Amino acid sequence: MVTLLIGAGLIILGIVVIAHDRRTLLSGLLPFLGLLTWLTGLTPVWLASTLFVIVLPLGILGEVLTHDGYWLLSRYGTSAKGYFFLVGGFLVMVFAPLFPVLWLLWRSVLIVKLMLAIYGYVAVLIDAYLLATVINALPLTIKPTKILILGAGLIKGGVGPVLRRRLLGGLALYQRFPKAELIMSGGQGDDEPEPEAVAMHRFARQKGVPESAIRLETNSTNTATNLSEAKRFINSGDRVVLVTSDYHLLRSLLYARRQGVNCQGLAVHTPHFTFTCFTFTCNAFIRELGAYTIIHRYLIPLGLVLVIILCLI
């Protein structure tokens, strides 16, 4: 009964967070912890099966890292980075199917308990990040007055597949709300012949968007400056929709929240029809997780310390 109440409390708290401002990891973490609390009432076998589902995303990321390590070693020869990805990714991947077995048979052994707790903690963070991303990709509840499209690297001086999808998603939204203004945000990288926003502007004009509906932000160099530089085109009463790739959505919205830009997100789907596309998305997601942990430097070490202390008690 107590676990049911705690789980319900966490889920209700998560709903409150989502209703107030869903642009936070808590929007995914609180409901997820609530469900985990409820699952503790399952029989050991069913709980072990559920735990496998929970750690599965981390196992998939391990498989992708293994593939990356093999690719690096095959293409560039012996390197510390290649072996780190190959060996580290393989260990992370193999541990996922072993997790429920170890939990069922040897969870009382201290070293196994520590390994399970650390691996489980990281897996829960990844699952919470995925859930928060899904929650922030829910249908829009506002009619935008500004549509902010985030840039992506130009390919051979032109709009590449990732940026093209972001533009098409933003332009489709503009067709629904033609009174909104489009903000093209993207500066010029060292390997780019022009700012990304200029190429985005040209793409939009070729699709029939009038010049008067487009604003250009050409100074940004990363996601954080995308938001800080685009703020000059946004008024306090504007209803803003931020358009970017699905794997990039949550971190972009977190930056927007930090910058004081009140907005909702439109996630542009990244295709996964081939293994290469799937690997690209997973690698991009891994980079997003890395960037998120840099923003919240305390999250991993503090959580790991708490997990280890709990195991030792």
Side-chain angles (χ1 to χ4, degrees), residues 247-313:
Y247 57 81
H248 187 236
L249 181 68
L250 182 58
R251 186 164 66 93
S252 302
L253 291 173
L254 293 173
Y255 275 125
R257 185 180 185 183
R258 283 191 164 197
Q259 299 281 357
V261 178
N262 189 20
C263 64
Q264 292 186 8
L266 176 65
V268 178
H269 179 60
T270 304
H272 309 137
F273 300 125
T274 66
F275 182 74
T276 301
C277 290
F278 177 75
T279 303
F280 167 80
T281 302
C282 286
N283 277 312
F285 182 72
I286 291 170
R287 290 196 300 271
E288 292 299 311
L289 284 170
Y292 179 82
T293 56
I294 290 173
I295 298 172
H296 301 85
R297 293 175 178 86
Y298 64 88
L299 196 61
I300 295 293
L302 178 61
L304 290 179
V305 169
L306 290 174
V307 164
I308 291 171
I309 291 174
L310 289 173
C311 287
L312 294 176
I313 293 176

Side-chain angles (χ1 to χ4, degrees), residues 32-310:
F32 190 74
L33 289 178
L35 291 173
L36 279 183
T37 304
W38 281 348
L39 291 174
T40 57
L42 295 174
T43 62
V45 173
W46 276 106
L47 182 54
S49 303
T50 305
L51 290 174
F52 173 69
V53 174
I54 291 169
V55 301
L56 184 59
L58 183 52
I60 293 173
L61 293 185
E63 191 278 333
V64 172
L65 289 174
T66 304
H67 173 268
D68 289 347
Y70 176 78
W71 181 84
L72 286 170
L73 293 172
S74 300
R75 181 158 186 172
Y76 299 108
T78 301
S79 68
K81 184 178 181 181
Y83 280 116
F84 177 78
F85 279 14
L86 182 67
V87 177
F90 179 77
L91 292 175
V92 170
M93 174 182 65
V94 168
F95 200 82
L98 291 178
F99 190 96
V101 177
L102 292 172
W103 184 87
L104 279 172
L105 300 179
W106 296 292
R107 64 180 181 274
S108 59
V109 179
L110 180 60
I111 185 64
V112 174
K113 182 192 257 187
L114 285 170
M115 290 169 60
L116 293 173
I118 292 170
Y119 193 92
Y121 173 72
V122 176
V124 166
L125 282 182
I126 291 174
D127 290 334
Y129 194 93
L130 284 170
L131 181 57
T133 298
V134 171
I135 289 170
N136 277 277
L138 291 173
L140 302 173
T141 60
I142 60 174
K143 295 181 179 180
T145 57
K146 299 286 174 64
I147 300 171
L148 172 58
I149 306 176
L150 300 190
L154 302 181
I155 306 297
K156 297 181 180 178
V159 172
V162 173
L163 184 53
R164 178 183 175 83
R165 282 187 166 269
R166 294 183 187 182
L167 285 164
L168 290 176
L171 295 181
L173 184 62
Y174 172 75
Q175 294 299 321
R176 290 172 53 198
F177 303 100
K179 293 182 179 180
E181 285 186 341
L182 289 164
I183 304 173
M184 307 297 188
S185 178
Q188 183 175 359
D190 295 335
D191 59 344
E192 294 175 325
E194 62 183 358
E196 294 161 9
V198 173
M200 296 162 70
H201 168 268
R202 187 165 54 247
F203 184 95
R205 293 287 288 127
Q206 290 170 353
K207 295 294 184 180
V209 179
E211 182 72 35
S212 60
I214 304 174
R215 300 288 179 267
L216 297 186
E217 180 286 297
T218 59
N219 298 321
S220 57
T221 56
N222 53 37
T223 305
T225 53
N226 278 142
L227 276 303
S228 61
E229 293 290 336
K231 279 179 66 176
R232 69 178 184 269
F233 298 113
I234 299 171
N235 302 317
S236 59
D238 276 326
R239 298 182 298 275
V240 183
V241 172
L242 184 152
V243 183
T244 189
S245 304
D246 45 13
Y247 57 81
H248 187 236
L249 181 68
L250 182 58
R251 186 164 66 93
S252 302
L253 291 173
L254 293 173
Y255 275 125
R257 185 180 185 183
R258 283 191 164 197
Q259 299 281 357
V261 178
N262 189 20
C263 64
Q264 292 186 8
L266 176 65
V268 178
H269 179 60
T270 304
H272 309 137
F273 300 125
T274 66
F275 182 74
T276 301
C277 290
F278 177 75
T279 303
F280 167 80
T281 302
C282 286
N283 277 312
F285 182 72
I286 291 170
R287 290 196 300 271
E288 292 299 311
L289 284 170
Y292 179 82
T293 56
I294 290 173
I295 298 172
H296 301 85
R297 293 175 178 86
Y298 64 88
L299 196 61
I300 295 293
L302 178 61
L304 290 179
V305 169
L306 290 174
V307 164
I308 291 171
I309 291 174
L310 289 173

